């Protein structure tokens, strides 16, 4: 409640929180509020010339190139994009925390090996690595989530490693060790709780990056495959109609931008609230 009250006092954080809550609520309620099935090709969904219909009438945001209701596809696409964002980012944060905390706590040869591997992963462009992995594997919802997780954990691992290295030298950790506490107790009872604010902040900020990466992979044709809708493949399917039906590109593009921005605003606010070193800074 303290964190929520602090966020409500910040206009940008409140805006981001409202948008994020609205997007999540619409995604959850998509089966009940979508006026049509996302895969249903309407008999009157195309003009006499076979072109998509513009926004208005029974189709709130118009129709796509196959005569499907764009509003319904965006609602179900939100489910796909958010599921991938939450699952992939959750896995990435978990891997990053595990690698970072083990490397920072053990140090020595095991820590050096883990961090050199992390540096090696950071040397590869994330998008290029994701495209290669997605191309090698059969693209699907869960494969795309796994691919994104495998390229997004390195930043979290580096941050957690740095914080863990500082924590293990603190007096309370050394006192706990001198009292005979085992490694598991030190890790789970004293170090991990201090890393939770970092995990929460990076978990929130990473969702925006994950949503954008999923949209990029789907736009390039190596992400979620049709007919399952996602915001990225909606744009991919409609790119050839950019001039004739610009709403098919601009509307999902604006939703992706707004969602990513909102998650970033929420993440920035959480960082300011949960990180004592950031409090009071403009």
């Amino acid at each position: 409640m303290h964190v929520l009250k602090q966020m409500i006092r910040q206009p940008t954080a409140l805006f981001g929180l409202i948008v994020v809550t609205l997007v999540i609520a619409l995604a959850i309620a998509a089966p009940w509020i979508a006026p049509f099935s996302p895969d249903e090709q309407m008999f009157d969904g195309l003009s006499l010339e076979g072109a998509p219909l513009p926004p208005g009438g029974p189709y709130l945001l118009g129709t796509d190139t196959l005569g499907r209701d764009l509003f319904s596809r965006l609602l179900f696409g939100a489910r796909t994009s958010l599921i991938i964002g939450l699952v992939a980012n959750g896995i990435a944060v978990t891997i990053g925390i595990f690698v970072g905390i083990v490397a920072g706590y053990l140090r020595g040869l095991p820590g050096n090996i883990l961090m050199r591997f992390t540096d090696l992963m950071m040397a590869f462009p994330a998008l290029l690595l994701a495209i290669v992995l997605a191309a090698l594997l059969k693209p699907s919802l869960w494969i795309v989530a796994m691919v994104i997780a495998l390229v997004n954990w390195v930043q979290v691992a580096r941050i957690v490693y740095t914080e863990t290295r500082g924590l293990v030298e603190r007096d309370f950790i050394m006192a706990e060790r001198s009292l005979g506490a085992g490694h598991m107790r030190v890790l789970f009872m004293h170090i991990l709780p201090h890393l939770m604010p970092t995990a929460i902040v990076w978990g929130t900020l990473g969702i925006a990056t994950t949503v954008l990466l999923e949209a990029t992979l789907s736009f390039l044709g190596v992400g979620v495959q049709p007919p399952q809708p996602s915001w990225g493949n909606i744009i991919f399917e409609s790119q050839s109609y950019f001039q004739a039906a610009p709403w098919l590109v601009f509307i999902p593009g604006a939703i992706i931008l707004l969602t990513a921005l909102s998650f970033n605003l929420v993440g920035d606010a959480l960082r300011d609230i949960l990180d004592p070193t950031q409090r009071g800074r403009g």
Side-chain angles (χ1 to χ4, degrees), residues 52-118:
L53 297 179
Y59 308 112
L60 183 63
L61 298 180
T63 60
D64 67 2
T65 57
L66 297 179
R68 297 172 295 190
D69 180 55
L70 180 60
F71 178 63
S72 300
R73 288 186 62 77
L74 288 173
L75 287 176
F76 280 88
R79 300 184 115 201
T80 302
S81 297
L82 289 179
I83 287 174
I84 290 179
L86 294 172
V87 172
N89 198 56
I91 296 174
V93 170
T94 302
I95 295 174
I97 290 177
F98 175 78
V99 172
I101 198 172
V102 170
Y105 185 79
L106 295 180
R107 293 181 290 183
L109 182 60
N112 286 333
I113 292 175
L114 286 174
M115 294 318 297
R116 296 298 76 77
F117 176 70
T118 302

Side-chain angles (χ1 to χ4, degrees), residues 212-246:
L212 290 173
L213 186 54
E214 180 278 325
T216 303
L217 291 176
S218 296
F219 175 76
L220 295 174
V222 292
V224 178
Q225 298 300 297
Q228 183 173 9
S230 79
W231 292 338
N233 66 27
I234 290 174
I235 298 177
F236 172 74
E237 293 173 343
S238 309
Q239 58 181 324
S240 59
Y241 281 76
F242 175 72
Q243 292 183 331

Side-chain angles (χ1 to χ4, degrees), residues 126-173:
L127 179 58
L128 179 60
L129 182 59
I131 291 174
V132 171
L133 290 174
L136 293 175
L137 303 171
K138 185 179 180 181
S140 67
L141 178 67
W142 303 111
I143 292 295
V144 171
M146 184 194 71
V147 167
I148 294 175
L150 290 178
V151 300
N152 271 359
W153 62 269
V154 289
Q155 293 85 359
V156 181
R158 174 58 67 180
I159 296 296
V160 170
Y161 169 75
T162 303
E163 291 198 10
T164 304
R165 284 291 302 270
L167 285 170
V168 295
E169 302 295 338
R170 299 281 292 274
D171 292 340
F172 70 94
I173 297 293

Side-chain angles (χ1 to χ4, degrees), residues 243-257:
Q243 292 183 331
W247 62 89
L248 295 178
V249 175
F250 282 123
I251 294 177
I255 292 174
I256 293 171
L257 178 62

